[in-house]
Amino acid sequence: MSRGAELLRHFEAQAGGAVDLLGRLVGIDSPTSDAAAVGRMGAAVAAELMAIGARVSFPGTGGGGAGVDAAGGMAGGVGRPLVAALGPGPGAGAGAAAAVAAPGRPDAATPPDDRPVMLLGHLDTVWPAGEAARRPFRVEGGFAHGPGVFDMKAGIVVALMVARAIAAGRVRPRRPVVLFLSADEETGSPASRPHLESEARRCRFVLGLEPCNTDGGAKTSRKGVGRVHLAVTGVAAHAGIDPARGVNAIEELAAQILAVKALEDADRGTTVHAGLVSGGVAKNVVAPAATAAIDVRVGTPEEWSRVEGSLRRLRPRHPGARLDVEAALTHPPMVRTSAIAALLGSARRAAAEVGFDLGEGGTGGGSDGSHCAALGIPVLDGLGVEGDGAHALAERVRVDHLAQRAAFLARLLEIEDPL
Ligand SMILES: [Zn+2]
């Protein structure tokens, strides 16, 4: 029996329990803004991990970090991320052993590279408290439904299935494996990001368990996400009696929005979308203030530099208006590097060994993988279970593919390191 078939058989025997576990995790609401709820989700995952002897910590809790103390939030009122070491500790990985036992290699004198591989996901969902009771977990025709089932509790279940198999000696990863689950990914991970970055910096590469593309493929690029805020200050005046004394902030803002829109470049994948506007006080008053929030997506850091440079040069059209521009790249673009292509090659091989073709694609959405990629660490993302409807009521996941996806991930951790 091939190794792929062996792993598939192992995980198929675990599939029933995995569906039950998925149901339990979907039953725990974990909205980003609710630190206690995300803490309950973290504690549930930690309990699974500690039952198999994995070392679990919640960064920021202090005191050695061990235990299930997920309660209590971080700055911003969000929960704590979870970090777990799965399987052998650093220095004891199979990869390290292989590097040492390679006489005659040109780099034989260099220390063995036993940096871990990171499995990356998040504990939070976009759904409010009470959603799991309103739309309880259910399985129908091979699909599981429920809030957060696709984004990304099924991905967490796959990680836990693999963690259990590593602990039982059924899977032998080439490198130590670290699981990192952010607490606030759905709002861009402002609180988890420093912890994620410090873990990611010591990792060789990152495998993201976020939802896959709709065709089941991995995500090899992500657009950078920019947030642009325009604030115009005008002068209020009666619109009928002395309009000439006023400066209309809404008119000024409208012109500025079109100027920002002109920075769009479809050929380079740069999109500009004014998503929120507000302004004015009454219909018959020349508007004294108006603001706009604009979403910008870019494929490369160079494109963001171009857009940002143009934003800095915006000036009010009306001499009496004041224009304030804020621009921030909340998620850097994840560019498909040769290292990412090499990771994809290994992933395709692992997928073929467990019986499916792994596709590939990019996405306009940013995620934690973007933060890791920005540090120069290769990221292969979107390795979660097939499904669709992320952030939508129709969200669902191919629950009958849990075993195959777990076998795929396990095999990927085992096969020859592409980097
Ligand atoms: Zn997600």
Side-chain angles (χ1 to χ4, degrees):
M1 187 187 288
S2 74
R3 181 64 180 145
E6 200 179 344
L7 285 169
L8 202 50
R9 178 190 279 188
H10 170 74
F11 285 108
E12 271 164 1
Q14 319 292 319
V19 176
D20 292 344
L21 175 60
L22 180 59
R24 270 190 284 133
L25 296 185
V26 170
I28 303 170
D29 289 311
S30 53
T32 315
S33 59
D34 187 337
V38 174
R40 282 192 289 277
M41 176 67 190
V45 174
E48 295 291 321
L49 289 165
M50 287 168 47
I52 54 167
R55 303 182 296 282
V56 183
S57 65
F58 291 91
T61 44
V68 290
D69 186 14
M74 297 197 293
V78 300
R80 298 181 187 283
L82 178 152
V83 187
L86 313 179
V100 170
R105 277 167 47 137
D107 59 346
T110 60
D113 177 4
D114 60 354
R115 284 175 288 173
V117 49
M118 175 184 281
L119 303 182
L120 176 60
H122 58 89
L123 296 165
D124 60 324
T125 74
V126 295
W127 300 103
E131 191 71 12
R134 278 188 290 277
R135 290 191 295 123
F137 178 79
R138 68 189 163 87
V139 178
E140 221 173 80
F143 284 94
H145 305 253
V149 72
F150 179 49
D151 186 9
M152 57 153 281
K153 292 185 174 177
I156 294 175
V157 167
V158 165
L160 292 174
M161 291 170 81
V162 172
R164 201 171 292 158
I166 292 172
R170 303 297 294 262
V171 172
R172 299 175 294 273
R174 286 185 60 85
R175 293 174 176 276
V177 181
V178 171
L179 174 67
F180 189 98
L181 300 176
S182 295
D184 53 349
E185 190 276 342
E186 295 292 1
T187 54
S189 299
S192 297
R193 187 173 174 177
H195 301 290
L196 170 61
E197 289 178 340
S198 74
E199 282 296 327
R201 274 197 182 91
R202 63 183 194 87
C203 289
R204 183 65 187 96
F205 58 89
V206 173
L207 301 176
L209 299 175
E210 281 277 21
C212 49
N213 286 322
T214 42
D215 66 352
K219 291 173 176 169
T220 49
S221 66
R222 287 183 177 277
K223 283 190 183 178
V225 186
R227 185 184 55 214
V228 178
H229 190 261
L230 304 180
V232 176
T233 310
V235 177
H238 192 296
I241 298 171
D242 51 359
R245 291 182 60 180
V247 176
N248 192 318
I250 290 177
E251 290 170 6
E252 177 67 34
L253 182 71
Q256 296 296 339
I257 288 173
L258 294 179
V260 178
K261 181 71 178 175
L263 300 174
E264 200 163 64
D265 186 335
D267 291 343
R268 292 197 174 103
T270 301
T271 59
V272 174
H273 170 80
L276 275 175
V277 291
S278 68
V281 289
K283 185 181 83 63
N284 59 355
V285 177
V286 174
T291 61
I294 302 176
D295 182 281
V296 178
R297 309 268 160 160
V298 294
T300 62
E302 294 73 30
E303 265 300 276
W304 176 250
S305 300
R306 177 185 70 83
V307 170
E308 197 183 26
S310 299
L311 291 169
R312 300 274 171 239
R313 289 191 292 275
L314 289 176
R315 295 291 176 268
R317 308 283 169 102
H318 192 294
R322 178 191 155 128
L323 172 65
D324 292 296
V325 181
E326 284 171 26
L329 190 63
T330 57
H331 289 86
M334 181 175 117
V335 181
R336 187 188 191 278
T337 59
S338 56
I340 290 179
L343 277 180
L344 177 74
S346 292
R348 281 203 165 123
R349 195 181 126 200
E353 288 186 34
V354 302
F356 71 99
D357 285 327
L358 182 72
E360 147 189 39
T363 173
S367 184
D368 278 343
S370 317
H371 298 318
C372 299
L375 300 174
I377 299 154
V379 179
L380 187 63
D381 208 348
L383 300 179
V385 187
E386 303 101 300
D388 49 43
H391 298 196
L393 290 171
E395 178 176 11
R396 60 183 190 162
V397 74
R398 282 297 296 266
V399 78
D400 55 349
H401 285 196
L402 277 174
Q404 190 179 50
R405 283 280 162 163
F408 157 62
L409 181 62
R411 188 69 191 120
L412 180 53
L413 293 174
E414 282 187 347
I415 63 178
E416 191 182 338
D417 202 320
L419 301 175

